[in-house]
């Protein structure tokens, strides 16, 4: 049974920073593209960022470009999301997910999901 476990969420003031982690087990982690998605109350899940299996290419939604950075450590089976200059509109539950094939932007195609970690940004 594959498990993705997120951590690092919390409460932060606008302008602050948080760092999320996602540990995958058991998974041939370095075969999988990895993504971060988020879902705010009353809203649909949305793509935040993704990274290729090798870690060479990253993708971001426009609203987080320049503020968030996705990275991975394949030796540690861990995915990261560094979040800076946080805004109240970044408040959501953040999920990590993995997929072997297909577009990183499409949430429906991901194979495995974590349980999510809450990020709350106050103004």
């Amino acid at each position: 049974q594959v498990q993705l476990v997120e951590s690092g969420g919390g409460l932060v003031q606008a302008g602050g920073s948080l760092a999320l982690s996602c540990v995958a087990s058991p998974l041939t982690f370095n075969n999988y593209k990895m993504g971060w998605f988020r879902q705010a109350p009353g809203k649909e899940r949305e793509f935040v960022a993704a990274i290729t299996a090798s870690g060479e290419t990253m993708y971001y939604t426009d609203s987080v470009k320049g503020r968030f950075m996705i990275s991975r450590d394949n030796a540690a089976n861990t995915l990261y999301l560094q979040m800076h200059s946080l805004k109240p509109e970044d408040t959501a539950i953040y999920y990590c997910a993995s997929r072997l094939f297909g577009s990183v932007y499409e949430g429906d195609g991901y194979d495995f999901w974590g349980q999510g970690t809450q990020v709350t940004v106050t103004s």
Side-chain angles (χ1 to χ4, degrees):
Q1 181 75 17
V2 172
Q3 279 193 317
L4 301 178
V5 180
E6 302 98 335
S7 61
L11 179 68
V12 65
Q13 288 189 328
S17 299
L18 281 175
L20 306 184
S21 298
C22 170
V23 178
S25 64
L27 190 71
T28 311
F29 187 73
N30 58 2
N31 286 349
Y32 283 80
K33 306 174 189 180
M34 299 295 297
W36 287 99
F37 289 76
R38 65 187 180 187
Q39 187 166 21
K43 295 188 176 181
E44 293 187 353
R45 181 182 63 198
E46 66 169 342
F47 170 81
V48 176
I51 189 167
T52 54
S54 65
E56 290 183 352
T57 305
M58 287 71 79
Y59 307 84
Y60 299 94
T61 192
D62 286 346
S63 63
V64 308
K65 285 180 181 176
R67 300 189 298 121
F68 290 13
M69 185 175 73
I70 189 171
S71 62
R72 65 190 295 162
D73 182 345
N74 284 348
N77 278 21
T78 303
L79 176 73
Y80 303 99
L81 186 68
Q82 298 280 346
M83 305 186 293
H84 302 287
S85 302
L86 282 161
K87 304 175 180 179
E89 51 264 43
D90 294 318
T91 295
I93 298 174
Y94 283 70
Y95 300 90
C96 68
S98 63
R99 68 184 300 160
L100 284 172
F101 307 109
S103 170
V104 297
Y105 297 103
E106 298 175 3
D108 288 345
Y110 280 75
D111 303 302
F112 304 107
W113 291 83
Q115 83 291 345
T117 186
Q118 176 71 49
V119 171
T120 303
V121 185
T122 60
S123 57

